[in-house]
């Protein structure tokens, strides 16, 4: 991957250098797994749980999203999913819901960036 491509991913909250460390330098494996995120159900399920005020389901989905984002080095998405998970674990549904617009923006940025890889 070129420096321009790495900088492009970084602008969208994806730490390519960290991902390569995690994936042992196997770019093909990273791209294959990262693009599977395009069909990952956790963000949409989290959105639905938050819209319904279902903190338990929201916590499960936020925690799952956090795991996926962390494993793929989607750093901004990971940070926000972590903050939402922590808020829900602290019984702060309103605080978690307040973070959802920022999480959605980060999710959409990752999707846009991955569209260029697929």
């Amino acid at each position: 991957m070129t420096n321009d491509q790495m900088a492009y991913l970084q602008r969208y909250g994806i730490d390519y250098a960290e991902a390569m460390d995690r994936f042992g330098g196997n770019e093909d494996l990273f791209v294959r797994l990262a693009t599977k995120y395009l069909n990952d159900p956790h963000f949409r399920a989290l959105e639905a749980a938050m819209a319904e005020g279902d903190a338990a389901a929201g916590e499960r989905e936020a925690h799952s999203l956090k795991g996926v984002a962390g494993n793929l080095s989607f750093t901004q998405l990971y940070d926000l999913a972590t903050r939402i998970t922590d808020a829900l674990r602290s019984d702060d549904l309103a605080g978690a819901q307040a973070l959802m617009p920022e999480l959605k923006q980060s999710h959409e940025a990752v999707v846009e960036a991955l569209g260029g890889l697929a």
Side-chain angles (χ1 to χ4, degrees), residues 39-110:
N39 297 312
D40 186 86
H42 298 297
F43 173 75
R44 296 286 175 229
L46 174 58
E47 259 190 332
M50 291 292 92
E52 294 169 8
D54 186 343
E59 181 184 341
R60 283 191 307 275
E61 296 301 335
H63 180 74
S64 295
L65 181 60
K66 177 180 99 167
V68 170
N71 286 330
L72 295 170
S73 300
F74 300 165
T75 55
Q76 291 174 350
L77 191 65
Y78 172 80
D79 177 59
L80 289 162
T82 298
R83 291 168 56 198
I84 290 170
T85 300
D86 291 346
L88 292 170
R89 286 187 179 156
S90 299
D91 295 321
D92 183 7
L93 179 61
Q97 289 171 324
L99 292 167
M100 288 301 295
E102 194 175 353
L103 180 76
K104 182 175 184 170
Q105 182 179 2
S106 181
H107 164 78
E108 290 172 350
V110 166

